[in-house]
Amino acid sequence: MYKFFPVLFLLSTAFSGCTPPPETLTPKTPLSNPKNIIIMIGDGMGPAFTTAYRYYQDDQSTGKIELTVFDRLLVGMASTYPARVSGYVTDSAAAATALATGVKTYRGAIAVDVDKQPVETLLERAKKRGKATGIVVTSHIYHATPAAFMVHNERRGNYSEIADDYFDDRVDGQFKADVMLGGGWKSFMREDRNLVNEFIEAGYQYIDSMSQLPNVNYSNRKLLGLFADTGLKATLDDKNSDRLLKQTVAAVRILENNENGFVLMIEGSQIDWAGHGNDIARAMGEMEDFANTMEWVEQYVKQHPDTLMVATADHKTGGLAIGYHWQPKWLKNLTMSPEYMTRDIIKGTLALKDIHAKLGFELTEEELSTLALAQPQGFESLGIAILSLLDQRSNTKWASTSHSAGDVQVFSAGLNKSRFSGHQDNTEIGIELLKMLN
Ligand code: MG
Ligand code: ZN
């Protein structure tokens, strides 16, 4: 707070010609509208994920346990329940609608209310205010979370309609996002319609490989980058293991050229997928990419104090529990995701006896024979056996393979960060952000 006192003082005196009385300096008073807003969503990132990540990244050679970016930037908690018709447990569509519009809705809804009427999103209002806008994800760019910031649809699974609306649905004649990075050739390049070509004709730069990111023209304000058919590879399988960070840096470098500022939505999409899969190694890999991205944003906000960063999760996934004697060291040396190991063993391109090279540790005879028994039963059995082995080594527990209703953390840095302190509902985060675009 103190850091921004001089800013408030100068603005207030400039507008009113007098010094504001000190009693107006309550923590919930907005100091001014931020020039730039960065909202980060860890999909499925319940509090157990950020705690597990703290111990996963702990340097055991030091006496203390190092703080993470999540520890540094924690400001509050948020409830995530959807509209009454959908009970207490939300999904990415309803939760992203809450964050993007401030409105509670039913599970599966993309920026429409319970009556299926469109509600204004953060990116739409940002466009009306002359801001540059962007979405950066590790899923397909028309997946539920980014979609609820972009367009309006009754059902999250209507991928072709949602993708079409990324081009067709405009605000004051403008596209909703200037920068779109993630996966999604599948619905963008269909037999009946090629949205990539349409965006190129409309003036967007298009790249289909992450290696092209450093070579894009940063003074051309429009960029579409699609790097996979649907979601990007898991961090453990991707040679660009820092893919969220790379995309984020490129997006900000373009968006910050707009003199009226920007609004950027960044999603660590696959934390949720690792949670659904009860895959702790993959979860930690995704957390690392998300945390590194958040650290970069933390530094950006320090250098640009007129910027606000808010980060949260849309809901919890997987019911992760950090078991007694948790041992993250067994999760640190994987060179391939358990899913790809399973696939390659079933295909015959990886011998079961060589799995230790991918896991990063030697197996006991008992562990190896458990896997050997599962192998002939096929992909699912072997996959479960490999995940169980990692859970046993690390002593990781899972209560479910779906979402659960626990509250999630809220992290913030920069201008107005105190607006998100304490307990709040996820819709209140959306409402606060929209207010800052008034
Ligand atoms: Mg998502
Ligand atoms: Zn999910």
Side-chain angles (χ1 to χ4, degrees):
M1 278 302 288
Y2 283 119
K3 203 171 155 191
F4 300 111
F5 179 80
V7 177
L8 172 70
F9 182 83
L10 286 173
L11 284 174
S12 308
T13 49
F15 291 131
S16 67
C18 66
T19 306
E23 61 268 25
T24 63
L25 299 175
T26 57
K28 284 281 181 184
T29 305
L31 301 178
S32 64
N33 287 345
K35 181 181 180 189
N36 311 311
I37 297 176
I38 300 174
I39 176 161
M40 300 186 65
I41 301 173
D43 198 310
M45 187 183 71
F49 281 75
T50 58
T51 306
Y53 179 70
R54 183 195 301 130
Y55 306 135
Y56 172 80
Q57 63 86 55
D58 173 40
D59 178 354
Q60 293 201 13
S61 68
T62 64
K64 63 173 177 21
I65 289 167
E66 286 76 19
L67 292 183
T68 66
V69 67
F70 304 106
D71 298 324
R72 285 197 297 277
L73 302 186
L74 179 75
V75 292
M77 297 291 289
S79 49
T80 64
Y81 59 89
R84 176 58 78 189
V85 291
S86 293
Y88 298 117
V89 184
T90 196
D91 76 332
S92 292
T97 299
L99 295 167
T101 74
V103 172
K104 282 226 184 278
T105 190
Y106 60 93
R107 281 198 300 256
I110 299 295
V112 296
D113 63 16
V114 286
D115 300 318
K116 303 188 173 172
Q117 295 305 305
V119 278
E120 186 191 30
T121 75
L122 194 66
L123 293 195
E124 288 171 335
R125 189 174 294 184
K127 268 289 147 218
K128 287 180 192 157
R129 301 292 180 263
K131 298 211 180 276
T133 51
I135 52 168
V136 167
V137 299
T138 55
S139 60
H140 17 321
I141 60 170
Y142 42 85
H143 204 250
T145 310
F149 283 79
M150 292 285 288
V151 298
H152 311 273
N153 202 289
E154 290 178 14
R155 206 167 65 80
R156 60 183 286 175
N158 290 338
Y159 285 142
S160 298
E161 279 181 21
I162 289 170
D164 285 350
D165 281 345
Y166 276 33
F167 190 87
D168 297 335
D169 188 13
R170 315 273 173 95
V171 50
D172 297 343
Q174 305 168 83
F175 293 108
K176 303 283 179 69
D178 302 290
V179 175
M180 294 172 276
L181 299 173
W185 299 320
K186 191 172 180 180
S187 295
F188 261 58
M189 293 189 284
R190 313 190 305 263
E191 256 170 42
D192 64 313
R193 192 163 177 189
N194 189 321
L195 292 161
V196 169
N197 284 345
E198 292 185 49
F199 273 111
I200 292 169
E201 279 162 30
Y204 277 72
Q205 309 177 74
Y206 172 67
I207 55 172
D208 62 4
S209 157
M210 226 167 264
S211 63
Q212 295 166 282
L213 273 178
N215 304 322
V216 300
N217 175 1
Y218 286 91
S219 57
N220 174 348
R221 309 284 177 82
K222 308 257 183 218
L223 174 65
L224 171 65
L226 298 177
F227 310 115
D229 205 28
T230 55
L232 305 185
K233 281 182 183 167
T235 50
L236 294 174
D237 298 316
D238 201 328
K239 62 181 190 300
N240 294 297
S241 61
D242 55 350
R243 67 236 199 284
L244 189 67
L245 174 63
K246 280 200 172 98
Q247 295 183 109
T248 296
V249 173
V252 170
R253 289 294 169 242
I254 290 180
L255 297 172
E256 69 180 355
N257 292 321
N258 185 43
E259 59 184 26
N260 281 330
F262 65 84
V263 176
L264 172 63
M265 196 284 298
I266 302 165
E267 185 197 24
S269 319
Q270 300 193 22
I271 299 165
D272 175 69
W273 301 357
H276 283 291
N278 286 185
D279 183 339
I280 189 61
R282 183 171 177 184
M284 291 300 103
E286 298 303 327
M287 285 298 295
E288 190 157 33
D289 192 16
F290 190 72
N292 289 341
T293 306
M294 208 157 130
E295 279 182 21
W296 187 86
V297 173
E298 179 187 30
Q299 292 309 313
Y300 184 86
V301 170
K302 269 188 193 154
Q303 290 151 19
H304 301 82
D306 51 1
T307 299
L308 166 70
M309 187 282 290
V310 183
T312 190
D314 49 356
H315 50 73
K316 296 172 65 178
T317 306
L320 169 65
I322 300 157
Y324 204 59
H325 293 308
W326 199 56
Q327 297 271 24
K329 68 177 176 184
W330 303 114
L331 311 172
K332 295 195 120 171
N333 297 318
L334 279 79
T335 56
M336 188 184 256
S337 68
E339 185 187 342
Y340 273 32
M341 291 176 208
T342 309
R343 181 199 63 182
D344 286 359
I345 292 168
I346 296 294
K347 265 200 313 194
T349 54
L350 174 66
L352 184 59
K353 66 172 177 49
D354 295 328
I355 193 174
H356 63 91
K358 306 293 179 192
L359 286 167
F361 57 84
E362 293 294 332
L363 278 69
T364 64
E365 263 177 48
E366 198 186 335
E367 285 170 332
L368 206 52
S369 68
T370 303
L371 297 187
L373 279 172
Q375 184 181 0
Q377 295 168 53
F379 183 85
E380 205 179 327
S381 294
L382 180 62
I384 289 170
I386 294 172
L387 291 174
S388 302
L389 187 154
L390 286 164
D391 282 347
Q392 280 163 21
R393 283 273 180 149
S394 59
N395 204 20
T396 300
K397 313 284 181 188
W398 301 92
S400 94
T401 54
S402 58
H403 301 172
S404 55
D407 292 353
V408 296
Q409 297 138 296
V410 182
F411 313 91
S412 190
L415 194 58
N416 295 353
K417 73 170 190 181
S418 65
R419 306 281 299 182
F420 305 95
S421 63
H423 177 74
Q424 60 220 292
D425 185 64
N426 60 2
T427 53
E428 292 174 298
I429 298 173
I431 290 165
E432 286 295 328
L433 293 173
L434 283 164
K435 269 198 253 172
M436 292 176 204
L437 294 173
N438 272 335

